[in-house]
Amino acid sequence: MKTMWKIIWKKVFTLGLLSISVMSWANDHKLTLENCHLGEIRSQVKCGKLEVPENYQKPNGDKIAVNFAVLPAIDDSEYKAPLMFLAGGPGQAAVELATVLNRVFSEVRKTRDIILVDQRGTGKSSALSCEFEAVDSVYSTLSDALDPQEVKDCVSQFKGDVTQYNSENAIRDFDAIRAALGHEKLNIYGGSYGTRAGLVFMRMFPDSLETVILDSVGPIEVPIGLFGQSGARSFNLLLENCKKSAPCHKAFPNLAQEFQAVKARLTKEPVSIDILHPRLGTPTKLVIDNIKFTGNLRFQLYGMEGRSMVPLVIHQAFLGNYQPLTGLMARTEGEQLVYTGLLFNIICNEDIPRLSVADKAADANNNFDGKDSHLAWELVCPFFPEYRPSEDFYQSVTADIPTLILSGNLDPVTPPSNGEFSAKTLPNSHHIIVENASHTVAMSTCASDIVNEFLTSKDPKALDESCLKDIPQESFMTSVNGIQ
Amino acid sequence: MIQFKALLLKEYRETFRDKRALMVALGFAFFAPIMIMGMAKIMIEKLVDEPPVYVKFTGAEFAPKLMLHLADNNLLNFVDVPEDEKTTWEKRNIAIEIPADYAKNMAEGKPIKLHLQADFTDKAVKPPVRRINSAIREFSLSIGYKRLLLRGVDVRLLNPVKLVEQDTAEPNATFILISMMLGIYLMLAAFMSGLSVAIDSSAGERERNVLEMLLCQPVSTLKIVLAKLIGASTIAFIGVVLVLVLTSLSVGFVDLTKIGATFSLDMSTAIFLMLLLLPICFLASACQLFVAFQTKSFKEAQSTVGMLIGIPAFIPFVVSMMDDRPEWLDWLPISGQSLIIESVFKGVDVNWLAVFATSGVTIAITAALVLALAKKLKSEKVVMALS
Amino acid sequence: MIEVNNLHKSFIDKKDKKNTVKALDGLSFTAKDGEITGILGPNGAGKTTCLRTLYGLLAADEGHVIIDGINVAEDPLAARAKLGIFPDKFGLYERLTAYEQIDYFASIHGMSGASKKQAIAQVLKDLDMEDLAHRKTVGFSQGQRMKVTLAQSLVHQPQNFVLDEPTRGLDVMSTRVLRNHLAKFKAKGHCILFSSHVMQEVAALCDRVIIVANGKLAAQGTPQELCDLAGEEHLEDAFVKLIGSDEGVAA
């Protein structure tokens, strides 16, 4: 009884506080917040915009409106610090991921607001977008067919000062939204590039953070952009796992050789065949070279479902059947996954300049896709306006905030070794490596429950990790008709 | 004033001293939250929880992947049933037969038929069968998708049209069955809690020959009626408060968030609801006194007034079921309040005009009843019925 | 003083006009202060109707009742304030103590504070029921109930005291208590109206007897006068003779 009244009073009190602070911010910072529908979420959520300076050094200069959404806690009878989701990419728009995140963080949302912010340059926050990919030619064009003029044209159509669309300003926006919504503290979940953003957040505004979850880490110490070694590692694990699995090994006894054979064949001469457009059903051309082949396979390595099809796709390609590969390409055809303008703007300025020739050579020395993953940077980066982050930006982050670090062992871009960097420098952290998972483990495994537990306990070292043991070994499709 | 105080004091004394009758009167209020919680719990179990289901498979060995998929959905093989659940699942006797040529037909892309046998008239069988059905459909679809994908087809073609439902209820709406039930329970509490007190202090006193004595005293019948009204409606109001307090206490024992709902009563809402229902308590007691005084005996009063209880249960129910609600429902007692309670739980802005209107009408009707009753107590008919 | 003047009262059956009952048919009498006046009458003679009209519960078709100069029909509350009523059935609030019950009626008569307390203490003492005072009345014997009822009707020291069949169901001891109290009351100059059909009691107690039959005054006078009037030795015989039939006795 006593606690109930306490809760009620607390609630009345916090409600009062909240509405007051919202009001004051609404006046000063042009915060808007209204009910809306997002994605496929059935219930109404809240959509907002906050006007922030484009350049924080010039608070009275140009403004940009940062778009965000709040998935309100289902049970708000007791206030708990919300969870802010920091999207990956860079260039993913968090608000666009609302449907998935609402599902993944359903446990968290039971008692906490979930805040999704379109990082400046993505989504509805002054997006920097380039239509590099001709919509209907994903099957017939090759990756190196990108025309420099296209890049130039795209960059020139960006409005505003693109150099302000950097990670540090994005974090300033995030913290401004925290304050505008009246939260003293936030929990943040960063996935992929979102971990980089999260680390910057920890350095810039440690007092705003209650806990941090870094899932599939892109630490400051490891420049983003070199995926040759990590991709090869992930691919080789797949080959090993296939060999260890009796049905897979039986179906594809020479998988590694077959892969190299297809690659060699395509390097020599791209394949060009007539197919029916997977979506339109009309005749079209499929042109595949080795870069497109490995690039598409690399993309499958990010998730367990894609990985399960890789051996079959390789084997069929080896047999001259590119239908399975076409089907994989069709899965994301025509969908904008990231806002490429922001992606290149950040990577080209914050990470690529730190790479030495030796770094690149070492990364290219792999048996999966060589230096193919560097190609995009080399083609695009020269055309992006330059900025350089502060020296602080590259310092290891050492904030004493409870931090849960997650890595998927099979991850093709942010291998567990990345997580180790952050685990070492963050004093109150714990690194969980999930054996049978790939990129962003909380999105696809029970690690989301561990995240929920961590948000409550705030003790990264004493979490119940047992459910991760139940994640099965990766298994593979062995026939185009499915198995048993 | 001395008279009125004495009258009221006597009503309270009599009411609160009769501990057993009081417990019976408030028993409803005590049980309401328990019922609400119980029903919510059952509902959650039905909607969300996926307790293990044990199925008698034959040919499980032919489809290991399917078995894994089913196990992921907590649909397990009967051979693994724990001892304490064995008889239950033996009785439900759900059997699935997997053909021996499952693997062969799968590889050749031929359709495979699994046969599920169960007694479909058994209610307990339905939810497990529904779950098995959807798990197998899901499994089948995922294989179908992959088959097409591996044939170079864009699998998005399989979903040409998708309906996205957008619920326009407030984001923090908590209006689900529990709130509706609570609304009805609050009404019922207002009507039921004071019931026995109202009958006892009217028909009961007449039967015990104390009413005539009172009517012969130099005190106006209006005062008598008011004292009895306040006495009975106090108990009714205590019933309402009890329902509110106990519900918000007991709601913590059920995880409503599982069904995407929450229920919390903050202080201001609770106080608002109490104020809203206060006139209803008076109306309820006034109706009961009015009817009870007209009856010829205590027994008749009990049965007649008992029928009055149907109204508060009936009205909110009908109102909540109505699709097109005529505006005048906002103004009437009971229906008006239940609509307002509904919007309170929905988180919709309360229509204050309706609040004042319905409260006003309720109070007016109560006052009319009281005046009519006071007049009636002076009538010969009542006097003649005294003995 | 209670003056009953030419009371007429009919109960009309709305469905069947022929079934109309004439309960009072011009009844008149006066109960004086310092006297015990008995109303005698067979069942259905109109005694209860008369008393109810006197309490102001029923309105007379014609005629009026005046209590200490107050017309009951015009100001029933003021008239009732002058009355102490002892009903024929001792209904008690069983969840109240005797004290609370008496207190309740005292308050209804507008008493409060120290004077009320004193009045209650006095009436408890007069009736020798201090030991009963703080017990709940449930389970009281008939005699104890009578005492409580008597106390509640007398606590405000009414000028006029009306008793309706007071001794019904009482044992000898209780009847004696009641009689003694009435005698004391009479001695103080109060007006006592007493309805009964027990002849001995009326004969023993009443200064004047009013015989009512068919809603009319059949005869009045001291018990002795009535006996003389009828030429009978016993009041009972006189009564039968005076009401003109043996209907009352038989009923």
Side-chain angles (χ1 to χ4, degrees), chain B residues 167-187:
Chain B
D167 188 344
T168 54
E170 284 291 300
N172 44 1
T174 58
F175 188 71
I176 49 151
L177 199 61
I178 187 167
S179 311
M180 205 175 88
M181 283 195 297
L182 183 64
I184 293 172
Y185 269 114
L186 284 172
M187 285 290 169

Side-chain angles (χ1 to χ4, degrees), chain A residues 4-5 35 37 40 42 44 74-75 110 278-279 312 323-324 327 330-331 333 335 475 477 480-481 484, chain B residues 65 102 106-107 109 146-147 149-152 154 156-157 162 165-169 171 249 257 262 267:
Chain A
M4 189 189 90
W5 291 123
N35 293 343
H37 282 286
E40 294 174 16
R42 195 170 185 274
Q44 284 196 73
I74 288 168
D75 179 359
K110 280 182 182 176
R279 176 167 49 84
L312 185 63
Q323 270 188 345
R331 286 221 289 179
E333 180 253 345
E335 279 179 17
S475 64
M477 289 194 80
V480 289
N481 271 342
Q484 274 86 30
Chain B
K65 289 257 166 171
Y102 178 93
M106 181 64 84
K146 281 182 182 167
R147 284 177 172 181
L149 184 146
L150 294 167
R151 282 164 179 76
D154 186 338
R156 290 173 298 181
L157 289 174
K162 177 161 189 180
E165 290 181 1
Q166 300 192 323
D167 188 344
T168 54
L249 279 181
T257 55
T262 171
M267 196 84 118

Side-chain angles (χ1 to χ4, degrees), chain A residues 158-394:
Chain A
F158 292 153
K159 293 177 188 74
D161 179 359
V162 182
T163 65
Q164 295 301 324
Y165 287 66
N166 53 49
S167 296
E168 291 183 306
N169 276 348
I171 300 306
R172 291 186 182 102
D173 297 343
F174 295 165
D175 196 59
I177 287 170
R178 170 200 62 79
L181 290 176
H183 299 295
E184 196 194 335
K185 295 239 180 197
L186 282 183
N187 302 286
I188 52 172
Y189 167 93
S192 192
Y193 163 79
T195 62
R196 169 70 62 84
L199 287 162
V200 176
F201 207 149
M202 292 168 86
R203 180 174 55 74
M204 293 174 73
F205 302 104
D207 295 338
S208 299
L209 299 177
E210 197 165 88
T211 68
V212 175
I213 298 106
L214 304 175
D215 187 351
S216 305
V217 191
I220 306 289
E221 296 85 346
V222 182
I224 299 171
L226 299 182
F227 301 129
Q229 289 299 344
S230 57
R233 176 181 174 277
S234 169
F235 181 67
N236 288 326
L237 283 170
L238 181 144
L239 294 178
E240 260 173 57
N241 286 338
C242 176
K243 198 176 267 179
K244 275 192 252 168
S245 140
C248 188
H249 186 57
K250 188 170 164 243
F252 318 115
N254 302 313
L255 195 58
Q257 293 89 321
E258 286 179 6
F259 169 70
Q260 294 301 339
V262 176
K263 216 172 79 169
R265 202 194 295 160
L266 293 173
T267 313
K268 222 163 118 194
E269 193 187 354
V271 163
S272 177
I273 42 177
D274 292 318
I275 59 161
L276 294 179
H277 190 285
R279 176 167 49 84
L280 300 171
T282 52
T284 187
K285 258 214 177 348
L286 172 71
V287 183
I288 300 172
D289 64 358
N290 61 317
I291 297 176
K292 203 165 166 183
F293 179 62
T294 51
N296 273 295
L297 288 187
R298 150 193 295 289
F299 196 64
Q300 304 311 316
L301 297 177
Y302 278 71
M304 302 311 285
E305 203 203 358
R307 289 175 71 91
S308 75
M309 291 185 278
V310 166
L312 185 63
V313 171
I314 294 172
H315 180 63
Q316 291 296 319
F318 178 72
L319 298 178
N321 172 16
Y322 289 95
Q323 270 188 345
L325 185 68
T326 316
L328 289 182
M329 289 164 70
R331 286 221 289 179
T332 51
E333 180 253 345
E335 279 179 17
Q336 187 174 30
L337 298 175
V338 295
Y339 288 80
T340 42
L342 182 77
L343 170 76
F344 285 110
N345 190 48
I346 287 184
I347 302 296
C348 292
N349 283 303
E350 297 180 10
D351 291 276
I352 300 298
R354 295 166 62 205
L355 296 171
S356 65
V357 177
D359 290 338
K360 289 181 189 168
D363 186 64
N365 182 20
N366 68 77
N367 65 354
F368 179 58
D369 63 353
K371 62 178 179 57
D372 293 356
S373 65
H374 312 171
L375 186 68
W377 317 124
E378 281 163 12
L379 276 171
V380 176
C381 284
F383 303 101
F384 266 77
E386 264 188 33
Y387 70 86
R388 291 293 172 262
S390 63
E391 259 317 299
D392 287 349
F393 186 80
Y394 296 110

Side-chain angles (χ1 to χ4, degrees), chain A residues 115-130:
Chain A
I115 302 174
L116 312 174
V117 186
D118 280 346
Q119 181 172 347
R120 53 166 69 195
T122 72
K124 290 181 184 154
S125 302
S126 312
L128 304 178
S129 191
C130 288

Side-chain angles (χ1 to χ4, degrees), chain A residues 65-206:
Chain A
V66 177
N67 180 54
F68 67 93
V70 179
L71 313 183
I74 288 168
D75 179 359
D76 59 358
S77 53
E78 193 182 344
Y79 176 81
K80 291 184 180 175
L83 177 68
M84 183 184 273
F85 171 82
L86 310 184
Q92 274 192 310
V95 176
E96 290 172 8
L97 301 174
T99 310
V100 176
L101 296 172
N102 185 51
R103 195 184 62 234
V104 169
F105 291 121
S106 59
E107 276 301 315
V108 176
R109 199 193 152 192
K110 280 182 182 176
T111 53
R112 292 173 201 274
D113 287 359
I114 293 177
I115 302 174
L116 312 174
V117 186
D118 280 346
Q119 181 172 347
R120 53 166 69 195
T122 72
K124 290 181 184 154
S125 302
S126 312
L128 304 178
S129 191
C130 288
E131 296 269 324
F132 289 156
E133 186 185 82
V135 177
D136 58 353
S137 63
V138 56
Y139 304 108
S140 58
T141 51
L142 291 174
S143 325
D144 53 2
L146 187 61
D147 180 359
Q149 190 57 43
E150 266 186 79
V151 182
K152 272 190 219 163
D153 289 348
C154 174
V155 171
S156 66
Q157 52 98 29
F158 292 153
K159 293 177 188 74
D161 179 359
V162 182
T163 65
Q164 295 301 324
Y165 287 66
N166 53 49
S167 296
E168 291 183 306
N169 276 348
I171 300 306
R172 291 186 182 102
D173 297 343
F174 295 165
D175 196 59
I177 287 170
R178 170 200 62 79
L181 290 176
H183 299 295
E184 196 194 335
K185 295 239 180 197
L186 282 183
N187 302 286
I188 52 172
Y189 167 93
S192 192
Y193 163 79
T195 62
R196 169 70 62 84
L199 287 162
V200 176
F201 207 149
M202 292 168 86
R203 180 174 55 74
M204 293 174 73
F205 302 104

Side-chain angles (χ1 to χ4, degrees), chain A residues 389-403:
Chain A
S390 63
E391 259 317 299
D392 287 349
F393 186 80
Y394 296 110
Q395 303 304 312
S396 294
V397 177
T398 57
D400 185 22
I401 301 165
T403 305

